[in-house]
Amino acid sequence: MKCLVSVVMPCLNEEATLATCIRKAQGALDTMGIQGEIIIADNGSSDRSVAIARELGARVVHEPRQGYGHAYHAGIEAALGKFVVIGDSDDSYDFSDIGRFIEPLQQGDELVMGTRLKGSIEKGAMPWLHRYIGNPLLTGLLNGMYHSGISDAHCGMRSFTKAAYTRMGLRTGGMEFASEMVIRASQLQLRMTEIPIVLYRDGRDRPPHLRSFRDGWRHLRFMLMFSPTHLYIWPGLVLFVLGLLSLFALLPGPIRIFGRLVDVHVMVLGSLSAILGFQIVSLGIYAKIFAVTHNFIPQGETLTKAFKLFNLERGLMAGFIIFMLGFCTDLYILSKWVLDGFGPLNEVRLALLASTFIIIGAQTIFSAFFLSLLGIEVRPPIS
């Protein structure tokens, strides 16, 4: 009979709880009458974990590279089942519950997430820092950036089809593997659902592998790196627009805001803000195109339209026009100075505007060449 379900557990010195998890998973598969397998993705255990897994009939896959994600990659890629269920081997998740994770997949869903926050958390099973700050904050940021609609993005027990796993093309090797799966599923618009589960106190006799601040930062770093729009483009646009507004508002002369005189010093900051904002937006566009051409993120409709609208020639033309606006402004200042007999020159405001346009125009010209280079389809190297 063909294997239908693969249950994959990462393992690093889990001899105290591994047997319990394997027996629960085996019992659940037997109860459902489903042909399945238990895969233990060993990540370098030095205790009896491997021996226990083999004694109980589980298949052991070794992954020498340290990391939660690396262990899962090895185990899932070795899986023979159409459906894959994953969960930690510390007995904090109930593998007797496998049936509830398989049913939605049989009905057409592609990713089933457990949610501890809509289920229940046994006293002492989750530190208050994770429960009330870390997990809600990171899940909220993930939902805001990627619109996943998931209430507990870092729940360790979940299921998915092997085909969906292949489509997601997951790459991370650490704890951020959990975030990456939800992000990729959201980007690919996979059919996702949540089911409430219970989180139990783990049965370990040693500290957990998870490190709150280190692993929390890894999740946050990955979310930001995977979203050039939020990391670069929106902040850059805000700086750019505010900078230009201040430049043009102060071009005629000083103004009063809330009774305070605002003068040329703010124009200097405005020029700096506009240039910096433009550079950040440019980096965001570079990052987005790089991510698309290297299959980190799918090419969305907005980027497709942008590729059709903007090309090298149009970029060069836009940059040339902006540059010439600044250059001609400087020529006007020079001619005025000459006509005044090289007397006192008081055109700081126009000079700031001109220099800003010249810098942004030049950056646009060179950015157009670089963007065209990034947009070239990546081909495998010739062997």
Side-chain angles (χ1 to χ4, degrees):
M1 189 182 295
K2 188 176 180 180
C3 178
L4 182 64
V5 177
S6 296
V7 182
V8 179
M9 306 177 195
C11 177
L12 176 58
N13 297 328
E14 304 288 5
E15 65 179 2
T17 55
L18 186 60
T20 301
C21 294
I22 293 173
R23 291 191 180 103
K24 285 182 179 180
Q26 290 172 334
L29 292 174
D30 291 343
T31 300
M32 291 184 293
I34 289 177
Q35 181 68 26
E37 62 176 351
I38 314 295
I39 297 177
I40 305 303
D42 182 65
N43 207 201
S45 297
S46 56
D47 61 4
R48 293 195 64 254
S49 296
V50 172
I52 290 170
R54 287 177 175 154
E55 288 167 6
L56 293 174
R59 185 152 62 98
V60 178
V61 175
H62 294 283
E63 175 50 68
R65 294 174 299 172
Q66 288 293 306
Y68 178 83
H70 287 312
Y72 266 134
H73 285 304
I76 297 168
E77 286 165 9
L80 302 176
K82 177 182 179 181
F83 304 134
V84 179
V85 180
I86 64 174
D88 299 340
S89 54
D90 60 1
D91 201 26
S92 57
Y93 297 110
D94 186 3
F95 283 96
S96 302
D97 221 13
I98 286 175
R100 294 176 59 229
F101 282 87
I102 298 301
E103 289 171 10
L105 299 179
Q106 292 174 320
Q107 294 168 8
D109 284 319
E110 296 170 281
L111 173 61
V112 181
M113 294 287 301
T115 170
R116 301 160 296 183
L117 302 181
K118 290 184 178 179
S120 62
I121 300 174
E122 191 176 76
K123 185 177 180 181
M126 183 186 293
W128 70 268
L129 181 65
H130 297 182
R131 183 171 184 177
Y132 298 109
I133 299 177
N135 196 23
L137 179 61
L138 290 173
T139 297
L141 284 171
L142 189 150
N143 285 331
M145 290 178 166
Y146 301 98
H147 313 290
S148 66
I150 296 297
S151 67
D152 187 5
H154 303 103
C155 180
M157 192 167 186
R158 51 187 77 179
S159 65
F160 42 86
T161 65
K162 186 72 180 289
Y165 171 80
T166 302
R167 281 187 64 199
M168 286 186 281
L170 307 180
R171 303 178 183 222
T172 54
M175 288 291 182
E176 65 273 27
F177 173 88
S179 294
E180 183 187 15
M181 182 179 290
V182 178
I183 290 169
R184 290 293 290 156
S186 301
Q187 290 175 331
L188 295 170
Q189 298 181 339
L190 300 184
R191 289 185 58 180
M192 286 191 288
T193 191
E194 280 189 310
I195 57 173
I197 64 169
V198 178
L199 179 69
Y200 298 92
R201 291 190 63 174
D202 66 60
R204 292 184 177 120
D205 52 5
R206 54 164 179 75
H209 299 304
L210 180 69
R211 297 293 181 267
S212 300
F213 293 101
R214 180 199 65 185
D215 293 316
W217 164 243
R218 291 185 70 152
H219 282 287
L220 178 60
R221 180 185 65 180
F222 178 79
M223 283 190 277
L224 291 172
M225 289 176 63
F226 231 61
S227 180
T229 301
H230 293 88
L231 180 60
Y232 299 101
I233 295 177
W234 288 123
L237 278 175
V238 170
L239 285 172
F240 181 71
V241 171
L242 288 177
L244 285 184
L245 285 175
S246 64
L247 277 172
F248 284 108
L250 291 165
L251 188 61
I255 59 175
R256 287 191 175 273
I257 300 178
F258 302 117
R260 300 285 183 179
L261 188 68
V262 176
D263 204 349
V264 70
H265 300 88
V266 174
M267 277 195 81
V268 174
L269 290 177
S271 174
L272 173 64
S273 177
I275 294 168
L276 180 60
F278 184 84
Q279 290 176 332
I280 294 172
V281 169
S282 299
L283 282 172
I285 297 171
Y286 304 155
K288 203 165 186 85
I289 293 175
F290 178 86
V292 168
T293 55
H294 286 73
N295 298 313
F296 287 109
I297 61 176
Q299 182 171 322
E301 187 177 344
T302 303
L303 196 60
T304 301
K305 290 179 179 177
F307 273 130
K308 291 179 180 178
L309 182 62
F310 299 104
N311 54 27
L312 174 61
E313 289 74 22
R314 287 174 180 161
L316 293 176
M317 182 60 67
F320 178 76
I321 291 170
I322 296 169
F323 182 89
M324 289 307 297
L325 282 172
F327 184 75
C328 290
T329 303
D330 271 343
L331 281 181
Y332 167 76
I333 295 171
L334 176 62
S335 65
K336 189 175 179 182
W337 184 45
V338 172
L339 291 173
D340 288 343
F342 301 101
L345 186 61
N346 188 23
E347 295 293 345
V348 176
R349 298 177 194 281
L350 270 180
L352 277 171
L353 186 66
S355 63
T356 303
F357 280 1
I358 287 173
I359 293 170
I360 291 176
Q363 288 180 331
T364 302
I365 290 170
F366 290 105
S367 292
F369 281 108
F370 189 52
L371 288 172
S372 296
L373 180 64
L374 283 179
I376 295 173
E377 182 180 358
V378 177
R379 299 175 182 271
I382 298 174
S383 56

